[in-house]
């Protein structure tokens, strides 16, 4: 009975405290709470609405302006974000918190020098004991790197590592600076630190192998290449023998892709010939060159990804026109069969990984695209599902289920909006 009385007393106390809070502040707290909840759920429009409602109750609250500015920044609404953070700075005494927010807004707009100044204000004024203090150096380091100040960026990342040595992503940022500065041994050391805990990271593995190649450490570079070849099935096809380490030469690979695309363009000029057999030969020649271009293309850097997209767009154009579709390689069929086995075990993430490996080597395989779309939908990744189903429809425009495929996209688009 005593414990019951204690519980009753507790609820009476909560009721009394709540009843004594003015409605104005109750509404303020509710709106601020709902705004934060909506933001965490990715419902940014709702977050803006609730922060705006809260500001109507507390118009001099700099923290609310800052929070709404962060949401606007996520939405790409930089004018509103900038206006809110300027207001926050104008009415708050704790401006060092808001310099970081303004810096991040300027950074997203590519205004790196102005962002560097604000990050510096944060670094100079913020409490060094704060758990997030290191992010000031990280932010300034990024802006210095983007502005071409690699040496200063490397020093900033070193400071961020000093304050947060457990954040291994900081090592990859510094490694990128060292690599661009030609300090390949230092870059390799940082990539090794990161990969010790993240051994499957493709980008960091690639640049580690590239650093080893630049250093003349051929055996180490080959070891990295062999590990990457376990998931990238194009490696043993296009990078063997004396050309093995060409894999790590982005400039050479980009040049090869451009050359193949030029040859594809020449072949495609001949598909409008009156001779049907000659047109088929030109199409087949174009497709063979596209396969080579795909094998050399990468998505490591922005320019490389643009080339990769160009190759894929040409595949979308050529593949449906082929009179006789190329046979799927046996190793690709093996991966898709194994992926199906994972699906039966409801191990969907593993199934997606196996289908992705198959598509790395055989991006034109319609069935793999369709199955990937359905798996992504099962995992509620509807954006990826739409992307894969669109690819399926472009590769197999005459498929009997094309109407159903399009309807699935309509369904998933609704899920994405909600």
């Amino acid at each position: 009975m005593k414990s019951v009385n204690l519980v009753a007393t507790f609820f009476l106390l909560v009721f009394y405290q709540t009843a004594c809070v003015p409605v104005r502040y109750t509404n303020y707290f509710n709106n601020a709470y709902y705004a934060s909840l909506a933001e965490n759920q990715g419902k940014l429009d709702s977050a803006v609405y609730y922060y705006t409602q809260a500001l109507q109750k507390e118009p001099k609250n700099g923290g609310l302006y800052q929070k709404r500015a962060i949401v606007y920044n996520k939405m790409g609404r930089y004018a509103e974000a900038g206006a809110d953070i300027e207001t926050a700075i104008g009415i708050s005494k704790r401006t060092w918190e808001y310099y970081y927010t303004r810096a991040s807004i300027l950074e997203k707009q590519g205004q790196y020098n102005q962002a560097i100044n604000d990050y510096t204000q944060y670094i100079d004024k913020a409490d060094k004991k704060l758990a997030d203090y290191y992010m000031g150096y990280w932010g300034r380091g990024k802006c210095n790197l983007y502005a071409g100040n690699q040496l200063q960026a490397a020093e900033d990342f070193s400071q961020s590592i000093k304050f947060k040595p457990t954040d291994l992503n900081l090592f990859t940022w510094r490694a990128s600076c060292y690599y661009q500065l030609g300090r390949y041994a230092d870059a390799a050391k940082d990539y090794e630190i990161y990969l010790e805990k993240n051994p499957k990271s493709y980008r960091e593995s690639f640049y580690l192998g590239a650093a080893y190649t630049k250093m003349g450490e051929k055996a180490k570079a080959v070891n990295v290449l062999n590990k990457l070849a376990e998931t990238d099935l194009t490696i043993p096809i296009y990078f063997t023998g004396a050309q093995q380490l060409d894999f790590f030469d982005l400039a050479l690979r980009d040049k090869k892709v451009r050359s193949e695309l030029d040859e594809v363009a020449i072949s495609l000029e001949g598909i409008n010939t009156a001779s049907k057999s000659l047109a088929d030969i030109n199409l087949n020649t174009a497709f063979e060159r596209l396969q080579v271009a795909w094998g050399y293309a990468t998505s490591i850097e922005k320019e490389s990804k643009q080339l990769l997209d160009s190759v894929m767009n040409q595949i979308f154009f050529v593949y449906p026109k082929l009179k006789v579709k190329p046979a799927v390689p046996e190793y690709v069929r093996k991966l898709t069969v194994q992926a199906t086995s994972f699906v039966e075990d409801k191990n969907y993430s593993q199934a997606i990984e196996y289908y992705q490996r198959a598509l790395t080597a055989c991006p034109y395989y319609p069935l793999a695209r369709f199955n990937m779309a359905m798996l992504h939908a099962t995992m509620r990744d509807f954006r990826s599902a739409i992307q894969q189903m669109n690819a399926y429809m472009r590769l197999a425009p005459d498929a009997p289920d094309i109407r159903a495929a399009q309807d699935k996209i309509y369904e998933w688009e609704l899920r994405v909006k909600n």
Side-chain angles (χ1 to χ4, degrees):
M1 182 63 68
K2 184 177 180 180
S3 61
V4 173
N5 289 336
L6 285 173
V7 171
T9 302
F10 170 77
F11 280 111
L12 284 171
L13 179 61
V14 170
F15 174 78
Y16 173 77
Q17 290 176 335
T18 304
C20 291
V21 177
V23 173
R24 180 168 68 90
Y25 290 104
T26 301
N27 290 338
Y28 155 68
F29 285 122
N30 285 343
N31 284 315
Y33 168 76
Y34 288 130
S36 179
L37 185 63
E39 182 181 356
N40 291 335
Q41 293 175 346
K43 300 176 180 178
L44 301 184
D45 286 324
S46 296
V48 166
Y49 170 80
Y50 285 117
Y51 279 132
T52 302
Q53 292 296 308
L55 278 166
Q56 290 178 0
K57 305 296 181 183
E58 288 289 305
K60 298 296 184 180
N61 190 318
L64 286 175
Y65 280 106
Q66 181 208 25
K67 293 181 189 305
R68 192 172 67 176
I70 291 171
V71 176
Y72 278 140
N73 196 36
K74 291 178 180 178
M75 299 170 75
R77 294 169 61 176
Y78 303 123
E80 292 100 323
D84 270 1
I85 199 60
E86 292 296 339
T87 302
I89 290 172
I91 64 178
S92 176
K93 295 180 180 179
R94 302 184 66 184
T95 54
W96 56 266
E97 290 185 8
Y98 304 148
Y99 282 125
Y100 180 91
T101 300
R102 188 169 69 178
S104 65
I105 294 169
L106 292 167
E107 178 188 334
K108 286 194 71 173
Q109 296 177 81
Q111 298 181 38
Y112 301 126
N113 290 330
Q114 297 95 314
I116 286 169
N117 290 335
D118 274 355
Y119 280 127
T120 301
Q121 291 271 19
Y122 174 83
I123 291 167
D124 291 343
K125 295 182 178 182
D127 184 351
K128 292 179 173 57
K129 294 180 181 180
L130 287 171
D132 291 338
Y133 179 74
Y134 76 100
M135 293 181 69
Y137 282 110
W138 175 62
R140 193 173 72 177
K142 286 189 296 175
C143 290
N144 272 310
L145 181 60
Y146 298 148
N149 308 320
Q150 290 92 343
L151 185 59
Q152 181 59 55
E155 293 174 1
D156 280 336
F157 293 136
S158 293
Q159 286 296 316
S160 64
I161 290 170
K162 174 184 174 182
F163 284 97
K164 190 74 170 181
T166 56
D167 188 342
L168 299 183
N169 290 308
L170 300 173
F171 288 92
T172 68
W173 283 98
R174 188 173 67 178
S176 180
C177 296
Y178 286 150
Y179 189 90
Q180 292 181 38
L181 289 166
R183 295 169 56 176
Y184 301 118
D186 291 328
K189 183 177 179 181
D190 275 355
Y191 284 130
E192 288 168 350
I193 291 171
Y194 179 83
L195 288 165
E196 186 177 354
K197 298 292 185 181
N198 304 276
K200 292 185 177 182
S201 178
Y202 189 94
R203 181 184 179 84
E204 281 68 32
S205 295
F206 178 90
Y207 275 110
L208 176 60
Y212 285 149
T213 302
K214 296 284 189 180
M215 294 161 60
E217 297 278 1
K218 183 176 180 180
K220 290 184 178 180
V222 170
N223 185 49
V224 173
L225 185 68
N226 290 337
K227 289 181 179 178
L228 289 173
E230 294 174 4
T231 54
D232 188 344
L233 300 180
T234 62
I235 292 175
I237 299 173
Y238 300 104
F239 301 97
T240 58
Q243 285 72 45
Q244 198 173 21
L245 295 183
D246 286 352
F247 177 82
F248 296 115
D249 190 335
L250 280 179
L252 181 150
R253 292 177 65 175
D254 285 358
K255 183 178 180 180
K256 177 68 172 175
V257 175
R258 294 179 191 279
S259 174
E260 292 298 327
L261 285 175
D262 288 342
E263 294 297 327
V264 168
I266 293 171
S267 295
L268 291 180
E269 287 177 0
I271 66 173
N272 296 319
T273 179
S275 170
K276 188 171 178 58
S277 60
L278 186 57
D280 288 340
I281 290 172
N282 284 320
L283 271 175
N284 287 323
T285 300
F287 187 74
E288 289 170 4
R289 289 195 174 278
L290 284 170
Q291 287 180 293
V292 175
W294 178 264
Y296 274 82
T298 76
S299 60
I300 296 294
E301 299 296 349
K302 182 179 179 180
E303 295 78 8
S304 300
K305 186 181 184 304
Q306 290 172 345
L307 272 179
L308 184 70
D309 291 341
S310 296
V311 174
M312 194 65 234
N313 284 329
Q314 290 284 40
I315 290 174
F316 285 138
F317 175 77
V318 172
Y319 180 83
K321 297 180 182 298
L322 294 174
K323 185 176 181 181
V324 179
K325 300 297 189 285
V328 175
E330 190 63 26
Y331 59 84
V332 171
R333 178 173 176 78
K334 176 182 176 180
L335 286 169
T336 57
V337 169
Q338 291 171 337
T340 301
S341 178
F342 284 122
V343 173
E344 291 172 354
D345 293 338
K346 297 185 178 181
N347 189 347
Y348 302 126
S349 59
Q350 196 69 30
I352 288 174
E353 180 181 333
Y354 271 61
Y355 274 122
Q356 190 58 59
R357 288 170 61 184
L359 288 170
T360 297
C362 196
Y364 52 84
Y365 189 14
L367 180 61
R369 295 283 185 182
F370 181 90
N371 289 344
M372 276 277 277
M374 300 306 292
L375 280 167
H376 279 305
T378 301
M379 299 288 286
R380 305 191 67 79
D381 181 0
F382 297 111
R383 293 186 189 277
S384 296
I386 291 170
Q387 181 183 17
Q388 292 296 338
M389 192 62 84
N390 272 322
Y392 167 72
M393 293 177 65
R394 294 182 70 180
L395 290 167
D398 299 324
D401 61 352
I402 202 74
R403 177 71 269 167
Q406 181 62 69
D407 289 347
K408 276 294 179 185
I409 290 176
Y410 292 149
E411 175 188 331
W412 295 334
E413 285 175 344
L414 185 63
R415 301 288 184 91
V416 169
K417 289 179 181 178
N418 293 334

